[in-house]
Amino acid sequence: MNFPAAVLGTGQTHHVTKRTDVSMAGMCREAIDRALVDAGLTIADIDAVVVGKAPDLFEGVMMPELYLADALGATGKPLLRVHTAGSVGGSTGVVATNLVQAGVHKRVLAIAWEKQSESNAMWALSIPVPFTMPVGAGAGGYFAPHVRSYIRRSNAPSHIGAMVAVKDRRNGAKNPLAHLKQPDITLESVLASQMLWDPIRFDETCPSSDGACAMVIGDEEAATAVEATGKKVAWVHGTAMRTEPTTFAGRDQVNPQAGQDAAAALWRAAGISDPLNEIDVAEIYVPFSWFEPMWLENLGFVPQGDGWKLTDKGETEIGGILPVNPSGGVLSSNPIGASGLIRFAEAAKQVMGRAGAYQVEGARKAFGHAYGGGSQYFSMWVVGSEKR
């Protein structure tokens, strides 16, 4: 049996290139304190802490959760570390939610972060790990062939990636926490930017950010107590996680089976039969702009080959049939370990009516999504303004 669970509050740091003013501990605590204030709680109200970040080599600190226990408020409480590569922020949110849904804890704090400025993600992805093929090209070089395959399959015109970049960066300019703020970005300026990994251009690529995100998940009693103060909560309607191996014969890296399976399980869990028309806003993990149409198809919002058409019609803009990444998304802020939890938190903010200048009017159901590794880890959820 699943007990009801809800997001009581969220908190993020300001995402920037380098946080030289704080340690990892201080950066995480900023997000935690903001989430607790948003939920109207203190650390004493928290029963357990779930932490998540991407590979430890991204900062060069092994098992940081151990020395961070004090700063995270986890002393004397259950502390659980989650790691599923770039999807880890989403997985952290799912694990924290599952602990509440299982009746194990009443209030769980989820915290995810990355301080990329203290290491080098390209280097971290390229070292020879035992029994694993190193990604010598970094993330962009790894995913560029998949994008080319998508374009070839779907006959997508070459400007679609630039359209996504313009939309997300303009959305990010409305988000006071976003790393990149480019309100004047244009299709022409994106198409004129340097080609990094054909067909991915510089302006179609996510930044490298320092930042943290925290979220408080509570049970029905805790959520009702928050609602009694006049504040909204985001009720969790469903969660899903799926994985598959990075490489195997016949694997479809453009439309991974694990993503399809996770989405199908999520829609069943949330009671959704027509996601395109039932979801009011989607926060989708798009680190390179072409992944918006790719994931729209993978997640079942549209049939295969039609993802780019939704983007091209402007339907993923705020005001469209499915606003995608009104917060600016990963293209505007990318502290890798936190990026998935940010997607989950931004989805929650929409149905709680706390998204400010990028609030989607009338948002009642929102989708949060994360993927990681070589597109083989997927985590996602649906949250709503009303309890199911």
Side-chain angles (χ1 to χ4, degrees):
M1 176 181 177
N2 270 5
F3 294 101
V7 180
L8 310 183
T10 70
Q12 295 176 50
T13 60
H14 287 73
H15 308 298
V16 296
T17 303
K18 286 187 179 182
R19 285 296 302 271
T20 56
D21 59 320
V22 290
S23 63
M24 262 197 284
M27 190 176 71
C28 288
R29 193 65 206 211
E30 277 184 19
I32 289 169
D33 288 347
R34 290 171 182 177
L36 290 170
V37 168
D38 194 41
L41 302 170
T42 70
I43 199 70
D45 298 312
I46 301 299
D47 301 317
V49 180
V50 180
V51 305
K53 67 174 298 297
D56 289 350
L57 284 172
F58 278 18
E59 284 101 355
V61 178
M62 298 297 101
M63 300 173 70
E65 67 277 6
L66 301 184
Y67 94 91
L68 288 174
D70 269 352
L72 303 179
T75 305
K77 297 174 182 178
L79 172 65
L80 180 64
R81 161 83 185 270
V82 180
H83 173 40
T84 55
S87 74
V88 66
S91 304
T92 303
V94 170
V95 170
T97 301
N98 290 166
L99 288 170
V100 173
Q101 290 174 326
V104 177
H105 300 296
K106 287 177 62 67
R107 297 183 189 89
V108 177
L109 172 69
I111 171 72
W113 75 93
E114 208 73 60
K115 211 164 190 287
Q116 286 193 73
S117 66
E118 298 188 358
S119 182
N120 182 298
M122 174 75 174
W123 169 80
L125 289 170
S126 302
I127 61 165
V129 178
F131 313 113
T132 305
M133 182 177 65
V135 185
Y142 181 86
F143 291 124
H146 309 164
V147 172
R148 289 197 296 273
S149 293
Y150 172 75
I151 292 170
R152 185 172 62 249
R153 286 188 199 181
S154 66
N155 293 314
S158 60
H159 67 273
I160 297 299
M163 280 190 74
V164 175
V166 169
K167 168 183 68 73
D168 283 9
R169 295 279 169 76
R170 286 180 176 173
N171 287 349
K174 301 174 185 175
N175 180 354
L177 301 174
H179 179 171
L180 298 181
K181 295 181 173 63
Q182 297 176 299
D184 301 323
I185 193 170
T186 64
L187 198 69
E188 293 73 26
S189 68
V190 175
L191 291 171
S193 67
Q194 181 183 1
M195 185 71 75
L196 296 182
W197 310 277
D198 188 20
I200 302 171
R201 298 180 181 276
F202 181 80
D203 280 347
E204 298 172 337
T205 304
C206 56
S208 177
S209 311
D210 284 0
C213 178
M215 189 185 303
V216 181
I217 311 289
D219 66 4
E220 187 170 18
E221 183 183 347
T224 303
V226 171
E227 287 183 325
T229 68
K231 277 184 153 183
K232 285 187 175 181
V233 300
W235 293 96
V236 180
H237 290 186
T239 68
M241 289 196 291
R242 293 292 188 277
T243 63
E244 65 184 55
T246 317
T247 50
F248 60 86
R251 181 176 188 233
D252 187 346
Q253 305 213 61
V254 175
N255 190 17
Q257 190 64 44
Q260 296 180 52
D261 291 349
L266 179 72
W267 304 138
R268 282 196 304 271
I272 288 173
S273 56
D274 181 3
L276 182 62
N277 289 300
E278 293 180 62
I279 295 294
D280 300 308
V281 56
E283 282 282 340
I284 300 176
Y285 203 108
V286 178
F288 305 101
S289 58
W290 278 97
F291 274 91
E292 175 177 295
M294 288 167 66
W295 289 151
L296 286 171
E297 297 173 24
N298 180 251
L299 296 166
F301 283 105
V302 292
Q304 285 194 49
D306 286 356
W308 68 265
K309 297 174 186 175
L310 203 67
T311 299
D312 201 30
K313 291 175 185 173
E315 293 291 5
T316 58
E317 298 264 7
I318 296 173
I321 189 172
L322 182 71
V324 175
N325 295 329
S327 68
V330 181
L331 281 174
S332 297
S333 306
N334 187 35
I336 296 174
S339 294
L341 192 62
I342 294 169
R343 308 279 68 73
F344 280 37
E346 291 292 353
K349 284 166 68 175
Q350 288 287 343
V351 299
M352 295 158 95
R354 298 182 199 172
Y358 55 94
Q359 177 70 48
V360 173
E361 190 176 348
R364 297 173 307 280
K365 290 184 181 180
F367 170 74
H369 164 269
Y371 87 97
S375 301
Q376 87 265 29
Y377 298 105
F378 291 87
S379 51
M380 50 194 77
W381 77 359
V382 171
V383 287
S385 55
E386 306 294 329
K387 188 165 55 175
R388 276 197 70 207

